[in-house]
Amino acid sequence: MLLERGLKVVAVEPNDAMREIGIERTKNSAIEDVDSNVNFENNIEWVRATGVDSTLKSGEYDWVTFGSSFNVMDRNEALKEAHRLLKPQRYFSCMWNHRDLHDPIQEIAEEVILELVPNYNRGVRREDQRPILEQNKELFDNIIYIESDFYFHQSIDNYISAWKSVKNPYWDLETIDGMELFEKIAYQMRHRLPSHFNIKYTTRCWSAKKVG
């Protein structure tokens, strides 16, 4: 979306598989620097790093964003890193696409998960992010919140893949137990959900201006 508007983007992604997917999707004229961890493609650079230690230069960026990732790291440290990277008076944003829990498809998915993981909790990604921003008011102020609904046509395979990519404490796919649990969840979803469906999500985004 940003590239389509002619903006220069630096994409920070620690997961090799996810970064390769991103590179593939923006590969029109990609050139990989074999001597570094950076991949260049027109107006985008891919960097192998994390949101709390981006390895990028201080004070050079107009906007620092976290897409479905702010919740998987120490948020206080992530805000400090965003503050370091931003030019004066520029903005930080964190955003998620939340499932509509009243959507019939999502209700079935919730039933499947709760049957197999009774203590399941949706975690920080579903929380209001205003409190953490207010706790760091020396770093960011002028908080803005926006949300928008959208519908997406999905196949069951892609839907299960999306669940597989979610990082949570309940099924660690790097462990045998975690993989077995997720396979049980996937099996139930395949048998209780249609092969294709329209599904509702709500994009929720919190932004705040750098102090100083």
Side-chain angles (χ1 to χ4, degrees), residues 7 11 16 36 47-48 55 69 80-81 102 120 129 135 145-146 149-151 158 166-168 185 195 198 201:
L7 301 179
D16 293 340
S36 72
V47 179
R48 188 177 190 273
T55 73
S69 59
K80 291 177 183 176
E81 180 71 350
H102 299 293
Y120 178 72
Q129 303 301 310
Q135 291 168 23
Y145 172 73
I146 58 174
D149 296 341
F150 69 96
Y151 287 84
N158 286 341
V166 173
K167 183 177 180 180
N168 64 62
I185 292 171
S195 59
N198 288 320
Y201 292 89

Side-chain angles (χ1 to χ4, degrees), residues 110-135:
E110 285 281 301
E111 290 174 3
V112 168
I113 292 171
L114 288 172
E115 286 171 5
L116 293 166
V117 189
N119 64 331
Y120 178 72
N121 183 289
R122 301 180 197 98
V124 171
R125 63 177 288 116
R126 297 291 304 206
E127 295 177 3
D128 181 359
Q129 303 301 310
R130 174 177 282 272
I132 192 70
L133 291 170
E134 291 178 339
Q135 291 168 23

Side-chain angles (χ1 to χ4, degrees), residues 7 11 17 39 50 71 102 111 118 127 143 153-154 164 181 195-196 206:
L7 301 179
N39 183 284
T50 70
N71 58 295
H102 299 293
E111 290 174 3
E127 295 177 3
I143 300 170
H153 186 73
Q154 187 71 284
K164 192 173 184 178
L181 173 57
S195 59
H196 289 83
W206 290 260

Side-chain angles (χ1 to χ4, degrees), residues 25-180:
R25 290 182 176 179
T26 57
K27 71 174 184 179
N28 291 339
S29 57
I31 301 174
E32 187 167 6
D33 183 347
V34 297
D35 295 323
S36 72
N37 290 324
V38 180
N39 183 284
F40 297 91
E41 187 270 317
N42 292 335
N43 286 334
I44 186 166
E45 300 177 15
W46 287 92
V47 179
R48 188 177 190 273
T50 70
V52 297
D53 184 16
S54 67
T55 73
L56 305 177
K57 293 182 180 179
S58 300
E60 291 201 351
Y61 299 90
D62 294 297
W63 193 18
V64 173
T65 66
F66 291 79
S68 296
S69 59
F70 191 51
N71 58 295
V72 300
M73 62 192 77
D74 186 312
R75 290 179 293 167
N76 292 301
E77 293 302 315
L79 287 172
K80 291 177 183 176
E81 180 71 350
H83 187 273
R84 181 185 71 80
L85 294 173
L86 286 167
K87 298 174 184 176
Q89 303 296 298
R90 298 305 200 267
Y91 278 86
F92 151 90
S93 295
C94 57
M95 180 184 75
W96 293 265
N97 291 325
H98 286 159
R99 296 177 297 123
D100 181 346
L101 301 179
H102 299 293
D103 181 279
I105 296 294
Q106 303 289 20
E107 287 182 341
I108 294 173
E110 285 281 301
E111 290 174 3
V112 168
I113 292 171
L114 288 172
E115 286 171 5
L116 293 166
V117 189
N119 64 331
Y120 178 72
N121 183 289
R122 301 180 197 98
V124 171
R125 63 177 288 116
R126 297 291 304 206
E127 295 177 3
D128 181 359
Q129 303 301 310
R130 174 177 282 272
I132 192 70
L133 291 170
E134 291 178 339
Q135 291 168 23
N136 288 273
K137 60 183 179 181
E138 76 283 1
L139 300 176
F140 290 97
D141 203 353
N142 299 91
I143 300 170
I144 301 168
Y145 172 73
I146 58 174
E147 68 175 51
S148 178
D149 296 341
F150 69 96
Y151 287 84
F152 187 70
H153 186 73
Q154 187 71 284
S155 70
I156 185 61
D157 288 338
N158 286 341
Y159 184 67
I160 290 173
S161 293
W163 274 105
K164 192 173 184 178
S165 70
V166 173
K167 183 177 180 180
N168 64 62
Y170 304 105
W171 54 82
D172 182 351
L173 299 182
E174 295 184 358
T175 68
I176 294 176
D177 289 344
M179 181 59 77
E180 288 179 350

